[in-house]
Amino acid sequence: MIGIFDSGVGGMTVARAIEQWCPGYPLVYLGDLARMPYGPKSPAMITEYSHRNTEFLLRQGAKLIVIACNSAASTASTFLRSHYRQAIIDVIFPAVAKAAALSATGKIGIIGTRATINSGFYEQRLQEARPDCQVYSQACPLLVPLVEEGWLDRRETKMIVKKYLHPLRDKQIDTLILGCTHYPLLKKTIAPRIGRRVNIIDSSVEVALHLKSILDTDADLRNELHAPDTPSRFFVSDMPAPVHALAGAIFGRPVLLEHTDV
Ligand code: DGL
């Protein structure tokens, strides 16, 4: 199985994209809602949670791990890669590669949680991928709670998005990375406020395409993971009321959520 974790349901945007681009590969998903949000927490805490999440997914039979949380990928992926021999992919590298290739001016913006932006991980990876780029980042701590509340199209959400994007607009970026797995749900609100000509990179799609290219080229991994008759499973460590509606909105169908203590 392909193991995927996030702090909450935002990572289901990644699970959904993987389901679409890599059909026939069962998923085991963990949303650590009991400890969410990760964004305001320290790197040590996020690393500890990510470690536990990975252990849980491996116990469920995951052979490959997808870190579907930018906050975890930016603070804990180095530790996880050094600790486990299993393949670990994350949402950051594919989005960085796409942004570096797509930007004409090299002026690239990133929005994410405080943990992601404070880590500087995106900036470092972008500078490595494209040394001439200028990177502008903006922490948007209010957006995750708005998404979790389902306030996707509210006037208040539009005002807050506009305020957060204003400094990036001023810098005339031509590419914006949605550096949080919750933000694809706000794409329709973000796109007109950053400017229609700005490329928007959705890390959930990029990581699914990256995984597809790995599976296309690695026959052993393909054979190990391909199991079209095995159903995917979705676990959460807490079950707050709006979670079913949000999961259903992401997948476009009702999703059976199973409770687990991580
Ligand atoms: N989904 C997480 C991310 O991609 C953000 C949610 C949280 O703060 O826990 O960064």
Side-chain angles (χ1 to χ4, degrees):
M1 294 183 107
I2 297 174
I4 305 176
F5 78 84
D6 177 39
S7 58
V9 290
M12 285 186 182
T13 58
V14 174
R16 172 75 173 137
I18 291 176
E19 200 181 71
Q20 283 173 331
W21 288 98
C22 310
Y25 294 90
L27 314 177
V28 52
Y29 182 90
L30 173 63
D32 189 16
L33 279 156
R35 293 169 194 82
M36 141 136 209
Y38 284 10
K41 303 225 164 63
S42 68
M45 204 38 102
I46 299 171
T47 303
E48 190 186 315
Y49 295 163
S50 302
H51 190 182
R52 276 197 239 172
N53 296 341
T54 306
E55 288 290 321
F56 172 82
L57 294 173
L58 295 175
R59 282 201 302 276
Q60 300 305 313
K63 303 283 185 241
L64 175 145
I65 301 293
V66 179
I67 310 175
C69 172
N70 287 265
S71 307
S74 57
T75 54
S77 60
T78 308
F79 166 78
L80 294 179
R81 287 202 172 91
S82 66
H83 197 77
Y84 294 102
R85 58 176 175 75
Q86 284 84 358
I88 295 181
I89 65 176
D90 67 61
V91 274
I92 293 183
F93 282 90
V96 162
K98 177 78 175 193
L102 206 60
S103 174
T105 62
K107 290 186 173 195
I108 300 171
I110 306 157
I111 52 174
T113 64
R114 282 216 175 92
T116 298
I117 299 304
N118 290 349
S119 74
F121 199 79
Y122 265 105
E123 282 90 337
Q124 288 160 20
R125 302 289 92 81
L126 277 163
Q127 295 293 347
E128 283 161 16
R130 185 164 166 175
D132 70 319
C133 73
Q134 289 162 275
V135 185
Y136 303 98
S137 48
Q138 174 70 45
C140 306
L142 293 174
L143 297 190
V144 167
L146 289 167
V147 171
E148 295 280 325
E149 277 302 312
W151 283 28
L152 304 181
D153 207 26
R154 298 277 279 252
R155 198 165 54 88
E156 294 85 346
T157 307
K158 290 176 184 164
M159 279 166 52
I160 292 167
V161 165
K162 189 172 173 199
K163 190 152 179 58
Y164 280 142
L165 293 179
H166 186 76
L168 301 178
R169 239 191 125 113
D170 266 2
K171 297 290 182 198
Q172 297 183 316
I173 59 164
D174 77 344
T175 302
L176 176 70
I177 299 177
L178 305 183
C180 173
T181 48
H182 282 66
Y183 298 173
L185 293 164
L186 292 172
K187 208 165 165 180
K188 283 198 192 115
T189 303
I190 291 170
R193 285 164 186 84
I194 192 63
R196 294 274 178 206
R197 283 193 303 265
V198 173
N199 307 306
I200 295 187
I201 313 286
D202 177 343
S203 53
S204 55
V205 174
E206 296 313 319
V207 76
L209 292 172
H210 177 61
L211 181 56
K212 183 179 175 342
S213 72
I214 293 174
L215 292 168
D216 284 348
T217 51
D218 187 334
D220 291 342
L221 195 62
R222 208 163 54 232
N223 291 338
E224 191 168 28
L225 294 174
H226 193 247
D229 295 331
T230 307
S232 294
R233 297 183 73 182
F234 298 88
F235 292 92
V236 286
S237 55
D238 189 20
M239 203 92 71
V243 71
H244 287 99
L246 203 52
I250 292 169
F251 278 91
R253 62 167 197 268
V255 176
L256 173 68
L257 298 175
E258 301 177 63
H259 181 261
T260 183
D261 291 320
V262 183

